[in-house]
Amino acid sequence: MRRIIPVICLLAAFTTNAQTNESLKAQAAQIKQQIDSTNRSLEATMNRLKQSQDSARTAQIQKDAARNGEMILRLYNERQAKQKKQMFLYLGLGIFFLAVLVFGLMRKGKKKVS
């Protein structure tokens, strides 16, 4: 009796846990379908993420281009203002030295006459 009970329990465990080859194939097919559907959903998510990153990158590039354009325009205007200021300075100095030359020539001419 002591030997029969463990043998019956052992045989019962083997028969209850045994799986047929067809059930294993069915489970493998089901698992493969689940993996494929998960892969498809992950690929779709990655594509959407890539598109959003591309649109964000494009928006950032457009912002940078606009900012750079504004900066170039500001630098151009500053340079124009500096050149204008320099032109007036040179023009003023030229007129001043012309007046000094004319005044000096007029004074020399008067001294020779007297």
Side-chain angles (χ1 to χ4, degrees):
M1 185 76 166
R2 286 185 179 174
R3 291 185 183 177
I4 294 177
I5 293 178
V7 170
I8 290 175
C9 289
L10 193 62
L11 289 176
F14 281 132
T15 58
T16 56
N17 288 332
Q19 293 181 341
T20 63
N21 194 18
E22 293 172 5
S23 66
L24 287 176
K25 286 181 182 178
Q27 283 181 351
Q30 185 181 12
I31 290 172
K32 186 178 179 183
Q33 287 176 351
Q34 288 175 349
I35 290 172
D36 288 343
S37 67
T38 304
N39 283 343
R40 275 187 254 120
S41 66
L42 283 175
E43 285 176 5
T45 305
M46 287 178 63
N47 286 338
R48 277 185 265 137
L49 180 63
K50 233 183 234 186
Q51 288 174 351
S52 67
Q53 285 177 343
D54 288 345
S55 64
R57 192 174 299 130
T58 303
Q60 183 64 33
I61 288 171
Q62 288 175 346
K63 282 181 189 178
D64 290 345
R67 188 178 64 234
N68 289 341
E70 290 171 1
M71 187 172 21
I72 288 171
L73 186 62
R74 191 185 79 233
L75 289 173
Y76 176 75
N77 289 337
E78 286 176 3
R79 191 180 62 158
Q80 288 271 344
K82 188 185 259 186
Q83 285 178 344
K84 193 174 184 180
K85 192 186 278 187
Q86 190 177 23
M87 179 195 66
F88 284 125
L89 178 69
Y90 289 156
L91 186 63
L93 284 174
I95 291 172
F96 173 73
F97 286 123
L98 181 65
V100 169
L101 178 68
V102 169
F103 182 72
L105 289 175
M106 286 175 54
R107 197 165 168 206
K108 257 187 179 181
K110 287 183 180 180
K111 285 186 177 182
K112 285 186 180 180
V113 174
S114 358

